[in-house]
């Protein structure tokens, strides 16, 4: 299976693979199954396999691999867990995938400074497991158990972003291997700095197109004294979204506030066997703080939700109940896919200013209903960010075309509302045209930067920008 | 007075000035007083005057000015209020200063989205004055009443950063004129985005070396229900700093937490005629939140401070009392200068991980005492950031040399503690060597970006990087 990549340097790739083999031995693979697995992310995008996969074990080794690939002008694609959603790992022009999943050491935890440094292959769950006895946690949680290198590279966020920010706010510094194999550290460990260009933020979200992230230093947070989760169903989507808007505008520091429409809620109930819930527009909340602070937040949120018809709050205060609830939320994507066995998911996301959220969601929902497509809606609505999953058979061109048309309309709607074509999934090769529509002339500045740092266009080519 | 700039393009500058005169009329000045005023910031750095000052009134006009300067290969220096501290506005190679202080329109306030967009010349006080009746405020407050364009360009922070972040976290998007006169917008208005490179963060802190900021969109915050300020003296500096460290590590969301050593506190008492305070190591606090939340924070902070000997809390809950207190704090620099009439100030700042703060401050203090210099210490210590002002006569080489030696030791100490050579003042041309010491190979990546976006090195040349 799989679509053939437009390979280049067929002659030189063999030389590069031979040199890499000499460096890495068994950790350089050209086995078909390994190649295919590395050419595919979690979305409907077809397999675009690389010519070889290099399993690196250190920053220095990544630098050596990059030098070899650069010398042979062979494309390089970084790979963490392969859970990207816009085709980020596809080897569009062949080349060598640099898999950092073996780089999974937690290098330091500075509990007194609320920060830590890990290798790029460490996943968010692994980090939190490691932190369990420290009283600290790392809040950023995209649905998948992604690697921190991948999360940094796509500027990931997730359910906690409304309170704790995204990878943009939470990465303190990165170790990066540049396109010519130099090793740089983007920042020091102090909380703030005015020293020179913000290379940390430049590499966060650059999707491997400017260099390869090998180490990530992030902020940590104290586990709150009190955590309470609640689920609240609403009679209609509008009431749920308007509650969100008012909660945000009131400055209530909710830690999580997630919307599931009735289709997605139904899917989650079925998939995660949730009992006592109804397939209605629903908000999932979580409150973090002191005993008194959480009580205060809850009172304010209940009052606002009540005004919009959301009255039936179901509470989960015990850790295991909360975990079950959020597990169900994090599995929303798989729950959506389970609605149509054998189908694939095309997940997409946009983000708009909070004042436009109700309008954007309701118009989008109307579009979906008119199309008759299966496309559950779920979102980190506290940030103005929401997702659709078009549940399709990608081998049926008419379904792809229909999803494309719906997606175009949704993204252009978000742009017209001063929003962005992606709140957290990234551009990959799925949204390059939308980036041009969104950023206009700024894309040419991005291109100048890309060409300065990667003049041969070897770093994850074909992603974010057309060169 | 003043040091002569190493001018370049003496022949072509006249052509550029003539073209600018035709474009701007009276708004292009070559008057000596205007030139000198624009060649000097608030620090001890000597006047380095430009050849002309262009007073722009719109983004489009800045673009026209830039095109003329670029065509004649004449350096361009952006100017807001001239309150930078590392020589940022100095025309080191002559050229044209582009003064944006006439660009002082507030373009939009989106109260529902907690954001606004202003022209680059709007100052922080002007913005907050404008917001007064909206229930919103903009928290970033460097001591001076700086322009938002300048604050963005130096990645400014101030007393509220410990809770609200710096310009890095609070700029939503920028309008920028590139070195070749194109106009770009770096981002949309949504709270987050994963669409392409983070140009916003790249231009924030770039000190005018990559382009000229003409509009700034920033986040706003609801004025808290309850605000309380307090001042607490400590028997020694160590106790004050250790209180800060423990408060931060406990996750108490103080809005402001400022340290003044006994020299600085004495200066402020004298300069701002504060009554009932003593010239001792002192913390200034501010608490924001709900009634109950603030009460809770205060209790925790009092308990921690008490353990380190800080017991005599003086409270200011009325708006005018609070304003007087923070005015005194913001005038710390001028108060320090007033200790030695006729002297100049050399303000410097470093920032370290909070766990190293006590060590860094106490060693620095010992150095100062050994030197016999007058150098009050003040700091945004909640961020691990503190300042010294060397109060010197810059015409006495031995004083400059002594300040230089002290400064070297302080910065290298901060770097050895994984800190940064500047938490908020920027590099300017005062700290370029330290940037190299701090960032190492990363400086070469910064240089690649600079040369890509400004190949002729015309944008504020001689700042941040040696090209």
């Amino acid at each position: 299976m799989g679509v053939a990549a437009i390979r280049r340097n067929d002659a030189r790739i063999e030389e590069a693979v031979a040199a890499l083999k000499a460096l890495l031995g068994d950790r350089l693979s050209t086995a078909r199954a390994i190649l295919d697995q590395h050419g595919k992310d979690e979305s409907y995008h077809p397999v675009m396999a690389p010519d070889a996969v290099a399993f690196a074990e250190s920053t220095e080794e990544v630098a050596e691999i990059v030098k070899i690939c650069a010398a042979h002008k062979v494309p390089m694609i970084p790979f963490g867990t392969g859970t990207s959603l816009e085709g980020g790992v596809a080897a569009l022009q062949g080349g060598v995938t640099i898999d950092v999943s073996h780089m999974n050491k937690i290098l330091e935890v500075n509990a007194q400074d609320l920060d830590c440094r890990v290798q790029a292959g460490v996943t968010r769950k692994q980090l939190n497991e490691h932190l369990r006895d420290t009283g600290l946690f790392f809040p950023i949680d995209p649905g998948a158990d992604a690697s921190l290198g991948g999360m940094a590279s796509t500027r990931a966020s997730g359910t906690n972003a409304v309170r704790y920010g995204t990878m943009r706010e939470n990465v303190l510094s990165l170790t990066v291997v540049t396109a010519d194999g130099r090793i740089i550290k983007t920042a020091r460990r102090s909380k703030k700095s005015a020293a020179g260009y913000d290379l940390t933020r430049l590499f966060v979200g650059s999707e491997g197109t400017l260099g390869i992230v090998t180490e990530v230093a992030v902020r940590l947070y104290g586990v709150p004294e009190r955590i309470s989760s609640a689920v609240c169903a609403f009679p209609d989507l509008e009431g749920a979204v308007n509650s969100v808007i008012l909660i945000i505008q009131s400055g209530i520091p909710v830690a999580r506030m997630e919307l599931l429409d009735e289709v997605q809620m139904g899917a989650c109930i079925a998939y995660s066997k949730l009992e006592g819930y109804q397939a209605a527009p629903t908000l999932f909340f979580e409150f973090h703080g002191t005993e008194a602070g959480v009580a205060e937040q809850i009172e304010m949120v209940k009052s606002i939700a009540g005004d919009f018809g959301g009255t039936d709050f179901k509470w989960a205060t015990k850790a295991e109940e909360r975990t079950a609830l959020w597990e169900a939320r994090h599995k929303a994507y798989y729950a959506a896919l389970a609605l149509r066995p054998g189908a694939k998911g095309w997940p997409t996301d946009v983000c708009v200013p909070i004042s436009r959220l109700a309008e954007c969601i309701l118009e989008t929902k109307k579009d979906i209903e008119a199309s008759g497509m299966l496309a559950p809606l779920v979102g980190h609505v506290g940030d103005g960010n929401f997702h659709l999953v078009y549940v399709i058979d990608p081998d049926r061109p008419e379904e792809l075309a229909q999803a494309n048309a719906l997606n175009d309309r949704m993204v252009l709607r978000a742009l017209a509302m001063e929003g962005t074509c992606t709140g957290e999934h990234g551009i990959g090769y799925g949204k390059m045209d939308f980036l041009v529509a969104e950023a206009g002339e700024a894309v040419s500045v991005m291109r100048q930067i890309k060409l300065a740092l990667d003049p041969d266009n070897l770093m994850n080519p074909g992603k974010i920008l057309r060169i």
Side-chain angles (χ1 to χ4, degrees), chain A:
Chain A
M1 69 171 288
V3 173
I6 308 156
R7 272 158 223 294
R8 55 180 188 185
N9 302 320
D10 276 338
R12 305 191 75 177
I13 182 79
E14 286 179 34
E15 293 169 33
V17 168
L20 291 170
K21 193 84 195 167
L23 177 71
L24 302 169
D26 284 352
R27 291 188 285 109
L28 191 279
S29 176
T30 52
R32 190 72 251 158
I34 298 286
L35 300 182
D36 281 351
Q37 179 220 331
H38 284 79
K40 171 108 188 70
D41 65 16
E42 285 212 331
S43 74
Y44 74 99
H45 291 101
V47 175
M48 304 284 265
D51 295 290
V53 177
F55 292 88
E57 293 193 339
S58 69
T59 296
E60 291 67 28
E61 203 168 73
V62 171
E64 289 309 307
I65 295 166
V66 167
K67 280 179 193 160
I68 290 170
C69 290
H72 294 86
K73 299 225 189 301
V74 167
M76 293 159 262
I77 306 102
F79 189 100
T81 57
T83 47
S84 64
L85 295 171
E86 290 293 350
V89 300
L92 300 177
Q93 304 179 8
V96 174
T97 290
I98 301 175
D99 183 315
V100 298
S101 63
H102 294 190
M103 291 175 61
N104 61 357
K105 286 193 202 66
I106 290 163
L107 301 169
E108 56 182 74
V109 175
N110 305 297
Q112 290 194 307
D113 294 310
L114 302 170
D115 69 51
C116 71
R117 185 166 56 92
V118 305
Q119 285 187 308
V122 167
T123 71
R124 65 178 182 90
K125 287 188 183 172
Q126 181 196 346
L127 175 57
N128 277 321
E129 189 59 35
H130 182 89
L131 294 172
R132 195 147 60 154
D133 299 325
T134 63
L136 300 173
F137 78 113
F138 173 65
I140 315 299
D141 65 337
D145 185 23
S147 67
L148 267 74
M151 289 169 63
S153 295
T154 52
R155 206 179 292 126
S157 43
T159 66
N160 282 303
V162 60
R163 169 133 175 189
Y164 297 94
T166 72
M167 289 302 272
R168 179 176 71 190
E169 287 80 20
N170 284 286
V171 174
L172 265 182
S173 86
L174 297 170
T175 302
V176 174
V177 174
T178 63
D180 51 3
R182 285 171 296 151
I183 297 167
I184 63 163
K185 209 168 159 189
T186 59
R188 293 301 184 106
R189 206 157 64 74
S190 53
K191 198 175 152 201
K192 64 184 195 184
S193 172
Y197 305 154
D198 190 346
L199 297 183
T200 307
R201 251 51 56 181
L202 179 64
F203 282 100
V204 168
S206 65
E207 303 188 28
T209 63
L210 300 179
I212 296 178
V213 172
T214 59
E215 290 179 11
V216 187
V218 293
R219 293 185 183 199
L220 303 174
Y221 297 83
V223 174
E225 179 188 323
R226 174 82 177 172
I227 303 178
S228 271
S229 295
V231 171
C232 178
F234 286 78
D236 53 39
L237 198 56
E238 192 171 3
V241 181
N242 282 328
S243 298
V244 168
I245 294 174
L246 203 51
I247 289 165
I248 291 296
Q249 289 173 349
S250 306
I252 304 168
V254 287
R256 293 166 147 172
M257 184 159 51
E258 297 285 304
L259 172 71
L260 288 74
D261 76 352
E262 70 287 359
V263 183
Q264 182 67 64
M265 191 62 192
C268 286
I269 291 170
Y271 187 79
S272 293
K273 303 188 176 44
L274 298 177
E275 282 180 21
Y277 297 92
Q278 44 173 321
T282 300
L283 291 177
F284 280 42
F285 292 101
E286 195 163 272
F287 305 95
H288 292 181
T290 60
E291 200 76 38
V294 165
E296 203 172 45
Q297 291 177 46
I298 287 174
E299 204 175 311
M300 292 189 279
V301 164
K302 279 175 99 167
S303 156
I304 290 172
D307 289 345
F308 292 102
T311 48
D312 183 23
F313 272 77
K314 295 195 197 312
W315 292 94
T317 43
K318 285 190 196 142
E320 54 271 35
E321 288 169 4
R322 287 204 317 271
T323 303
L325 209 56
W326 290 107
E327 271 295 302
R329 164 62 192 90
H330 279 126
K331 287 181 178 158
Y333 180 51
Y334 309 105
L337 295 184
L339 289 174
R340 185 178 169 190
K344 289 254 162 68
W346 172 345
T348 182
D349 85 306
V350 293
C351 187
V352 294
I354 194 87
S355 66
R356 310 299 297 271
L357 184 64
E359 201 181 343
C360 193
I361 285 184
L362 295 174
E363 286 182 18
T364 300
K365 186 79 186 165
K366 218 182 286 175
D367 260 12
I368 298 169
E369 282 162 0
S371 76
M373 281 196 81
L374 181 58
L377 187 152
V378 59
H380 313 311
V381 279
D383 294 318
N385 181 206
F386 69 94
H387 307 268
L388 292 184
V389 180
Y390 308 114
V391 182
I392 56 169
D393 177 350
D395 294 331
R396 291 173 57 126
E398 67 278 18
E399 289 196 25
L400 258 180
Q402 201 179 21
N404 253 315
L406 261 184
N407 200 43
D408 282 358
R409 284 174 60 85
M410 181 177 77
V411 173
L412 296 176
R413 178 178 300 124
L415 294 183
M417 293 177 177
E418 300 181 79
T420 178
C421 66
T422 172
E424 56 177 26
H425 291 173
I427 297 296
Y429 72 95
K431 281 188 167 166
M432 291 200 294
D433 291 337
F434 294 133
L435 178 63
V436 175
E438 173 171 335
E441 187 63 36
V443 171
S444 71
V445 174
M446 295 183 198
R447 190 171 286 114
Q448 287 176 291
I449 293 167
K450 164 74 174 172
L451 289 173
L453 300 190
D454 178 25
D456 294 323
N457 190 24
L458 298 177
M459 308 313 281
N460 209 1
K463 313 298 164 61
I464 299 186
L465 299 166
R466 286 192 181 79
I467 298 296

